[in-house]
Amino acid sequence: MRSWIWALPVACVFSCSHASAAPQTAAAVQGEAVLQQSPEQLQQLVAPIALYPDALVAQVLAASTYPTEIVEADRWMQQHSNLKGEPLAQAVDQTSWDPSVKALTQFPSVLANMDKNLSWASALGDAYVNQQQAVLDAVQTMRKRAEQAGNLKTTAQETVATQVQTVVIQPANPEVVYVPTYDPWIVYGPPLAVYPGWVAFPGLYAVGPGISFGVGFGVGFFAGVGWGWHHWGADWRGRTIIYNHNTYISHSRTFIDRNHFYRGGPGFHAGPGFHGGPGFHGGPGFHGGRPAAAPGFRGPAAAHAQAGMHSGAFSGFDHGGATRTFSGRGQSSVAHAFHGGGSHGGGHR
């Protein structure tokens, strides 16, 4: 009996000390330092899109938070290549994709490039969720660098204007949008390291330091839908994306806002203008697979030195395939990697 009585306080000391230690462990997790990408890394990340018109930059950044929908939409576009103009707009409007992903169907080459370089696109979405203002600052930094290099100026296709130290790019004709073609690794002056695994997409990549333009995209056909060209913009002062005259809100749950998650705020709300919505899965008939490369086309990767850029949560995603690596800096909530089911979520509607 005496041995049982002696053991009782020992057990109590152990259990009590263990219980008192638990809150300290939780506090340590909540106060954990959060890894942020450096300005140089963000500049490398936005280099392929920084010279796009403002509204297109907004669409790309918003859509990058929906990597599975990017892949699904690009496959859908390939399957419906016969649709053009208003019939295309009406068909896309019936899908459940986020408005930003729908908007990119106006620019098939931009959408296809994001699908082709899905690791980069997902890293861009991860950065936008966690460092929204820094990402938009990086876009402005790269525009100023391109101007200083003499490669960004007003043309017949677009106007380039500086407004209170902010570089604004708009189509010269609001009904026709030209996507600039350039080498994102040398157009800004001193060469940048190529983003790891980057594949140059035909029609969006040009050899040499300058900028050229191909055929313009008529956006008037999409005027009757709520996600068309004129519904998008960038608020450079507030450093946020504008959709329908309001701050764009993504309902994607693909990326965790690590600032909020690790510092122990109430619930999951993600970053500024970012709120968790229902989970999503790959759409019906969605099988992934790598699209065939253009015959005889060689990307610029061999011509540039590669750098150790940290990719996002979808590092290793291969055009609809399962993840090879989940980065510690961007945990993904995708539990079923592209295995059918309806695509859900959607933006600010």
Side-chain angles (χ1 to χ4, degrees), residues 38-39 42-43 45-47 49-62 64 124 127-144 165-168 233-242 247-248 272:
S38 69
L42 293 176
Q43 289 162 20
L45 197 57
V46 304
I49 65 163
L51 304 185
Y52 288 1
D54 289 5
L56 186 53
V57 169
Q59 292 169 13
V60 170
L61 290 178
S64 67
L124 187 64
Y128 179 73
V129 168
N130 285 280
Q131 296 174 261
Q132 175 180 303
Q133 295 184 346
V135 167
L136 291 171
D137 282 344
V139 170
Q140 282 297 317
T141 296
M142 300 312 282
R143 288 183 174 186
K144 292 170 185 175
Q165 299 186 343
T166 296
V167 181
V168 176
D235 175 6
W236 296 114
R237 176 177 296 181
R239 291 179 294 178
T240 188
I241 290 172
I242 299 300
T247 299
Y248 170 81

Side-chain angles (χ1 to χ4, degrees), residues 72-333:
E72 184 179 350
D74 186 43
R75 299 300 185 273
W76 187 94
M77 290 289 289
Q78 294 174 30
Q79 296 167 5
H80 298 82
S81 58
N82 60 311
L83 294 176
K84 307 291 181 184
E86 190 171 349
L88 172 61
Q90 292 175 350
V92 169
D93 197 43
Q94 300 304 310
T95 68
S96 60
W97 306 325
D98 183 77
S100 61
V101 177
K102 292 181 181 182
L104 287 182
T105 63
Q106 299 169 101
F107 309 99
S109 58
V110 175
L111 179 64
N113 180 54
M114 295 180 74
D115 179 13
K116 189 81 168 177
N117 290 286
L118 194 61
S119 178
W120 160 78
S122 67
L124 187 64
D126 181 39
Y128 179 73
V129 168
N130 285 280
Q131 296 174 261
Q132 175 180 303
Q133 295 184 346
V135 167
L136 291 171
D137 282 344
V139 170
Q140 282 297 317
T141 296
M142 300 312 282
R143 288 183 174 186
K144 292 170 185 175
R145 286 179 57 174
E147 273 192 321
Q148 293 169 0
N151 294 325
L152 180 62
K153 59 189 70 175
T154 295
T155 65
Q157 292 83 14
E158 66 182 19
T159 61
V160 179
T162 300
Q163 301 175 359
V164 193
Q165 299 186 343
T166 296
V167 181
V168 176
I169 303 177
Q170 300 289 354
N173 178 348
E175 299 303 319
V176 181
V177 178
Y178 291 86
V179 179
T181 300
Y182 60 92
D183 184 332
W185 318 117
I186 64 174
V187 73
Y188 300 103
L192 293 173
V194 180
Y195 188 86
W198 177 266
V199 178
F201 192 82
L204 294 181
Y205 170 79
V207 177
I211 299 174
S212 60
F213 298 90
V215 178
F217 294 90
V219 294
F221 299 109
F222 298 83
V225 291
W227 41 265
W229 172 261
H230 301 291
H231 293 268
W232 296 89
D235 175 6
W236 296 114
R237 176 177 296 181
R239 291 179 294 178
T240 188
I241 290 172
I242 299 300
Y243 174 59
N244 279 341
H245 307 291
N246 293 297
T247 299
Y248 170 81
I249 297 175
S250 173
H251 292 279
S252 173
R253 293 186 64 184
T254 305
F255 304 106
I256 292 176
D257 172 17
R258 295 176 298 280
N259 292 285
H260 188 91
F261 182 80
Y262 285 118
R263 291 171 186 168
F268 172 73
H269 298 289
F274 188 90
H275 299 276
F280 64 89
H281 307 278
F286 181 74
H287 302 290
R290 182 185 296 273
F297 181 79
R298 294 173 180 262
H304 301 281
Q306 300 261 342
M309 174 70 177
H310 297 289
S311 58
F314 276 51
S315 173
F317 263 74
D318 189 12
H319 314 290
T323 331
R324 292 194 297 270
T325 302
F326 276 71
S327 166
R329 17 173 320 274
Q331 301 173 6
S332 169
S333 64

Side-chain angles (χ1 to χ4, degrees), residues 16-30:
C16 293
S17 62
H18 180 73
S20 64
Q24 296 175 3
T25 303
V29 172
Q30 291 179 359

